[in-house]
Amino acid sequence: MALLRSLSAQRTTINLVYSRNTSTNGGTAAAAAVANGNGLRRAQALHTTNNNNNSKNNNTNANSDGYAATDSETANILSTLRQVLQKQHQQLQWQNLVLSSVVAGNAGIGGGGGGGGGFYSHSTTRSLHSAARNQQAQVAPAEIAVDDEAKQRKREALKPVEPKPAGTPQRDPLDVSFNDPLAAFKSKTTWELVRAYVVYMICSSEKLVEHNMKLMKVARTLLGGRLFELLMKSSFYGHFVAGENRHTIVPTLERLRSFGVKPILDYSVEEDISQEEAEKREVESSVSSAGDVKDDGTMPQYHVDKSFADRRYKVSSARTYFYLNEATCERNMETFIKCLEAVSGATFGTGITAIKLTALGRPQLLLQLSEVIMRTRKYMEDLVGGQGNVLTHHKTIKDLEKYYASVGDNKDVQEFLKNVTSDKEGILHLFPWSGIVDENSQLSDTFRVPDPQTGQMRRLISQIPPKEEEMFRNMIRRLNTIVKTAAELDVRIMIDAEQTYFQPAISRITLEMMRKYNKEKAIVFNTYQCYLRESFREVGTDLEQAKRQNFYFGAKLVRGAYMEQERARAQALGYSDPVNPNYEATTEMYHKTLTECLRRIKLFKDSGEDAKKIGIMVASHNEDTVRFAIEKMKEIGISPEDKVICFGQLLGMCDYITFPLGQAGYSAYKYIPYGPVEEVLPYLSRRAQENKGVLKKIQKEKRLLAAEIRRRAFRGQLFYKPKGNYVPI
């Protein structure tokens, strides 16, 4: 402030001294213009005008510097001022610059304004003038240094603003209670907050949600296409969906990124087909042309049942694909590749694309492969006793040779033993599973085991007709194309979990893709549903395989989407319920599985190996689970910068969790659906249904939304424009 007063005093002094002589000679005004730093152009213009006036009066004396005087008093004043101004001219230029900066920097703190001259009386002016002269005498010896500093400041001011170095991004403290509305919604406009509040209000009405699909169709009929689209974009569609295509979603992706959040893209277009059509397609595509063969080892859960053929039954949070033909699967592959391209172009290699394997091939093939896997486990249990798959038993080739001792001379048995995959810790696989991702292998020839009594080879999979073998190879080709494209674009693939009767095949194929592509980093991620009783064992086994075969392991942990359907189907078809008995057991399974993953990450870290060999996404809308993960990370010594743990929630849900995490430097993702308005109505219907089931979370989000809207209203920030400066981890 002392500098501010000093600069104001000098400027005021020069103004007032010049103003005394304005009526005597216009040339003085020119001097004042120069002294005030208003630029040479203004001074030259005034000087020209004054010279013209002086020539008309014929009583003008000119000096060598262009200042005119009409009498001796004026000449003496100007002579004195000339000496001062020659020394002060350049210094005042940079002082004006500094003054402007200080005033701008203090605006709203101390008030004030104007040029300063109006705040002083004539008596004060004389003392200020004297003080300015004294100050100038003191500053004069340092004029050259000051001038150099002024030039340097000017150069610095003209430099373009550079972003903060990558190592020092903006970070906010994290409120682990997730009760901070400002942190939750600083990425939203006030209109978006109001829209979210209205959407949640509607989701709180069970009657509206129950009939939401019918209501949307009625609205479409009454309003027509354009008005209906406008209504949806200003309500449900605008809240839960990012845009209509990969180009229109870019602003949303960029805004998310600027607030520290990355995307998982999902093209959410679904066919709105009737239950009858869904059942017809599923039954036809789930039975081989050779018939539904059921032998002594048949497992009923891996065969289609018409009662549950519509896989949308009692499922509100997962997208469903029904097989139509191979051409449809090709189009789905192209769509997934477009998602990869959109993610790559907007996220600088940090994004993810979610895919479903049932979109890429005939479901019958996944059913048959799943049954093979489970029959192999049963075979191993009979072989060595106990439960679980091959890896959990740590049996060696010698153990197998002893088991087949009575038929050891059989050539088929010898060939079988030759193809068993093992290492120093024991057997990894009874079959060359890599064959399932080899486009030239035949499923029918791969999955055969010797009878321990006769040595005769038994098929674990029914004979697959050549046309269906080709379909399976096409499905694998499509998946290979997608994952290869992801690797080239530096984008990751997250393969979604599906029903338990598909999941063994999906997990096996996904693991083989990991082994093939996750050699230097995790590109392919599998999904594990923690409401299943076998989740912990499955994750542990897959982690063990990744360690023993030296590939990067990626997993998304979710609670699950098919619980009610799975329970009803198990009861109807007479097999064991695969789902945990209650919500608490599911939470315990989730936390137990996550803890095991973190434990293994710590082992890698402590041994000096790459901790990124395990990458886990905590995909949960449960804030207790998110807190548990954060606490465990701190306890084990895993930091967000290790980039081994990330968090994910759906767009339009639990923003109060996602955004504070991203802004605090954690790896945070939003699951981003997109697609044309009318083609994502089934998706919107599911979102409404899902929100109805989590009313407790809705109540908290509504409360935080209301608090932020009130805060902006009271502070005059209703027209707040989000502008983030965060860098995703």
Side-chain angles (χ1 to χ4, degrees):
M1 291 305 295
L3 174 63
L4 181 63
R5 293 190 192 97
S6 172
L7 297 177
S8 297
Q10 292 186 49
R11 294 171 66 183
T12 304
T13 301
I14 300 299
N15 285 339
L16 292 173
V17 171
Y18 288 164
S19 64
R20 288 179 56 192
N21 297 282
T22 301
S23 59
T24 310
N25 190 297
T28 325
V34 176
N36 277 298
N38 289 330
L40 292 175
R41 289 185 181 177
R42 181 178 169 191
Q44 288 169 351
L46 288 169
H47 177 55
T48 302
T49 304
N50 293 328
N51 281 342
N52 292 338
N53 292 335
N54 291 336
S55 62
K56 289 180 182 179
N57 295 330
N58 294 320
N59 59 353
T60 304
N61 298 315
N63 56 49
S64 58
D65 293 321
Y67 295 102
T70 56
D71 52 39
S72 58
E73 181 184 0
T74 302
N76 290 334
I77 293 172
L78 287 176
S79 176
T80 304
L81 282 174
R82 189 182 306 118
Q83 296 175 16
V84 175
L85 290 174
Q86 285 175 343
K87 294 179 180 180
Q88 281 197 326
H89 177 63
Q90 290 182 333
Q91 187 176 350
L92 280 174
Q93 286 184 317
W94 77 261
Q95 285 180 339
N96 278 326
L97 178 62
V98 174
L99 178 61
S100 300
S101 301
V102 173
V103 172
N106 288 279
I109 299 176
F119 290 97
Y120 300 98
S121 64
H122 288 289
S123 59
T124 316
T125 301
R126 287 190 292 272
S127 61
L128 287 174
H129 177 53
S130 176
R133 293 285 299 271
N134 292 335
Q135 183 184 17
Q136 174 58 32
Q138 295 172 4
V139 174
E143 285 173 357
I144 297 175
V146 170
D147 189 43
D148 289 342
E149 183 182 356
K151 290 178 180 178
Q152 179 63 27
R153 288 176 184 237
K154 188 173 182 180
R155 281 195 295 269
E156 292 293 331
L158 292 174
K159 281 185 179 179
V161 178
E162 295 180 0
K164 290 183 179 181
T168 58
Q170 182 177 344
R171 293 286 181 262
D172 293 344
L174 177 64
D175 172 19
V176 291
S177 68
F178 299 107
N179 277 313
D180 184 355
L182 180 60
F185 304 120
K186 65 167 66 174
S187 66
K188 307 288 186 188
T189 65
T190 306
W191 155 243
E192 288 168 335
L193 299 184
V194 172
R195 180 181 65 193
Y197 191 86
V198 171
V199 166
Y200 285 134
M201 286 286 289
I202 295 172
C203 289
S204 301
S205 170
E206 291 195 18
K207 288 186 178 180
L208 287 176
V209 171
E210 185 180 350
H211 302 288
N212 73 85
M213 197 64 180
K214 292 179 182 178
L215 290 171
M216 284 192 284
K217 289 180 178 179
V218 169
R220 170 69 177 82
T221 303
L222 294 176
L223 298 175
R226 285 191 176 183
L227 284 178
F228 178 71
E229 278 196 17
L230 184 62
L231 173 65
M232 296 309 295
K233 286 181 178 179
S234 61
S235 56
F236 280 89
Y237 180 93
H239 184 67
F240 290 118
V241 183
E244 297 189 75
N245 56 57
R246 61 183 180 141
H247 303 294
T248 58
I249 66 174
V250 169
T252 298
L253 301 187
E254 289 178 345
R255 198 204 303 184
L256 285 174
R257 181 176 176 78
S258 72
F259 285 93
V261 176
K262 297 166 284 187
I264 305 172
L265 276 194
D266 182 25
Y267 189 64
S268 297
V269 169
E270 299 179 31
E271 289 183 279
D272 185 18
I273 60 176
S274 66
Q275 179 181 336
E276 292 75 16
E277 176 64 19
E279 290 173 352
K280 178 175 179 293
R281 286 196 197 180
E282 189 72 0
V283 170
E284 289 177 353
S285 61
S286 297
V287 178
S288 171
S289 58
D292 191 8
V293 179
K294 296 180 180 179
D295 55 27
D296 292 340
T298 296
M299 298 179 169
Q301 61 263 51
Y302 301 107
H303 293 259
V304 69
D305 184 275
K306 189 176 184 299
S307 302
F308 298 92
D310 185 353
R311 286 183 275 118
R312 300 169 300 183
Y313 172 68
K314 291 190 175 182
V315 176
S316 63
S317 60
R319 188 148 52 98
T320 304
Y321 290 91
F322 292 98
Y323 180 84
L324 183 61
N325 51 44
E326 292 295 288
T328 303
C329 294
E330 288 291 322
R331 286 196 295 272
N332 290 337
M333 178 191 74
E334 294 296 332
T335 297
F336 290 139
I337 289 175
K338 288 178 181 177
C339 284
L340 291 171
E341 292 169 349
V343 167
S344 176
T347 66
F348 309 99
T350 61
I352 301 175
T353 292
I355 68 171
K356 268 187 161 58
L357 215 53
T358 49
L360 300 175
R362 188 177 171 90
Q364 165 223 334
L365 302 165
L366 295 174
L367 285 170
Q368 288 183 283
L369 184 56
S370 292
E371 187 171 17
V372 167
I373 293 167
M374 300 313 292
R375 289 178 73 169
T376 302
R377 290 188 184 181
K378 183 70 169 63
Y379 180 81
M380 196 65 188
E381 289 170 11
D382 295 340
L383 195 70
V384 299
Q387 293 185 339
N389 52 35
V390 177
L391 257 70
T392 60
H393 293 288
H394 294 279
K395 296 297 178 179
T396 66
I397 295 293
K398 288 184 178 180
D399 292 325
L400 282 184
E401 288 174 348
K402 289 178 183 178
Y403 189 78
Y404 295 122
S406 61
V407 291
D409 295 334
N410 186 298
K411 290 183 179 179
D412 289 334
V413 174
Q414 291 176 356
E415 186 66 23
F416 172 78
L417 291 172
K418 188 189 298 183
N419 289 327
V420 170
T421 306
S422 66
D423 62 9
K424 62 182 181 180
E425 295 184 41
I427 296 170
L428 283 161
H429 305 301
L430 289 180
F431 312 110
W433 283 105
S434 58
I436 66 173
V437 293
D438 180 356
E439 297 172 21
N440 298 315
S441 296
Q442 298 293 308
L443 290 177
S444 298
D445 297 332
T446 300
F447 303 113
R448 299 192 305 157
V449 293
D451 186 291
Q453 305 301 322
T454 65
Q456 183 179 357
M457 300 302 290
R458 299 183 343 214
R459 290 184 187 278
L460 293 177
I461 191 169
S462 57
Q463 185 68 41
I464 298 176
K467 184 178 180 182
E468 290 167 18
E469 283 273 13
E470 183 183 355
M471 288 179 178
F472 183 79
R473 291 299 139 210
N474 284 336
M475 178 171 67
I476 298 303
R477 172 184 56 78
R478 292 175 192 120
L479 183 58
N480 264 313
T481 302
I482 291 168
V483 179
K484 186 178 179 182
T485 303
E488 291 170 352
L489 295 173
D490 193 25
V491 176
R492 285 170 285 179
I493 289 287
M494 199 160 275
I495 298 179
D496 281 341
E498 303 193 45
Q499 285 87 348
T500 52
Y501 43 91
F502 292 136
Q503 197 55 44
I506 292 171
S507 289
R508 181 76 260 161
I509 291 170
T510 303
L511 275 175
E512 290 307 311
M513 288 293 172
M514 283 189 199
R515 195 169 66 83
K516 184 175 180 179
Y517 291 98
N518 288 11
K519 293 180 179 178
E520 297 179 356
K521 61 181 176 180
I523 293 172
V524 181
F525 280 64
N526 196 12
T527 303
Y528 297 88
Q529 301 187 97
C530 292
Y531 67 37
L532 297 176
R533 297 172 188 265
E534 294 296 312
S535 294
F536 178 75
R537 184 179 298 172
E538 294 290 338
V539 173
T541 301
D542 293 348
L543 280 165
E544 184 67 17
Q545 180 182 337
K547 177 187 173 185
R548 287 166 64 174
Q549 293 194 299
N550 195 31
F551 60 83
Y552 284 68
F553 176 80
K556 177 175 74 168
L557 302 182
V558 299
R559 273 182 165 73
Y562 309 99
M563 184 176 66
E564 290 186 60
Q565 183 189 105
E566 294 281 10
R567 281 202 169 126
R569 192 174 188 271
Q571 186 176 4
L573 300 186
Y575 59 90
S576 299
D577 184 356
V579 179
N580 285 316
N582 52 47
Y583 184 84
E584 288 72 26
T586 295
T587 298
E588 183 182 351
M589 178 68 75
Y590 197 119
H591 292 180
K592 181 181 177 182
T593 305
L594 175 59
T595 301
E596 174 63 12
C597 294
L598 290 168
R599 184 187 72 81
R600 287 179 177 255
I601 292 170
K602 188 176 189 301
L603 288 176
F604 277 128
K605 195 172 180 181
D606 291 347
S607 64
E609 294 186 65
D610 187 1
K612 295 188 182 70
K613 281 198 168 181
I614 299 174
I616 305 298
M617 170 171 280
V618 180
S620 175
H621 295 108
N622 187 300
E623 62 182 83
D624 290 333
T625 293
V626 173
R627 267 192 295 272
F628 176 86
I630 292 170
E631 289 166 5
K632 279 294 177 183
M633 287 172 67
K634 291 178 181 177
E635 179 184 316
I636 293 174
I638 296 171
S639 70
E641 288 75 20
D642 289 329
K643 299 182 181 180
V644 293
I645 300 293
C646 57
F647 300 85
Q649 290 82 34
L650 289 163
L651 183 71
M653 293 180 66
C654 293
D655 286 347
Y656 68 93
I657 294 176
T658 315
F659 285 95
L661 284 171
Q663 290 153 190
Y666 287 85
S667 182
Y669 284 86
K670 276 293 189 187
Y671 198 94
I672 309 289
Y674 70 99
V677 174
E678 296 201 31
E679 295 180 50
V680 298
L681 293 186
Y683 173 86
L684 294 175
S685 178
R686 287 204 318 274
R687 287 286 76 81
Q689 292 283 351
E690 185 171 3
N691 276 287
K692 182 188 74 171
V694 288
L695 286 177
K696 186 176 180 181
K697 293 187 183 70
I698 286 182
Q699 292 304 323
K700 178 167 184 176
E701 193 132 12
K702 281 170 59 182
R703 175 173 59 78
L704 292 172
L705 283 164
E708 178 62 8
I709 292 169
R710 284 196 301 270
R711 188 191 70 82
R712 291 188 189 181
F714 291 149
R715 298 200 176 189
Q717 296 178 342
L718 290 177
F719 299 100
Y720 165 79
K721 292 183 179 180
K723 189 175 181 181
N725 189 31
Y726 300 86
V727 178
I729 194 72

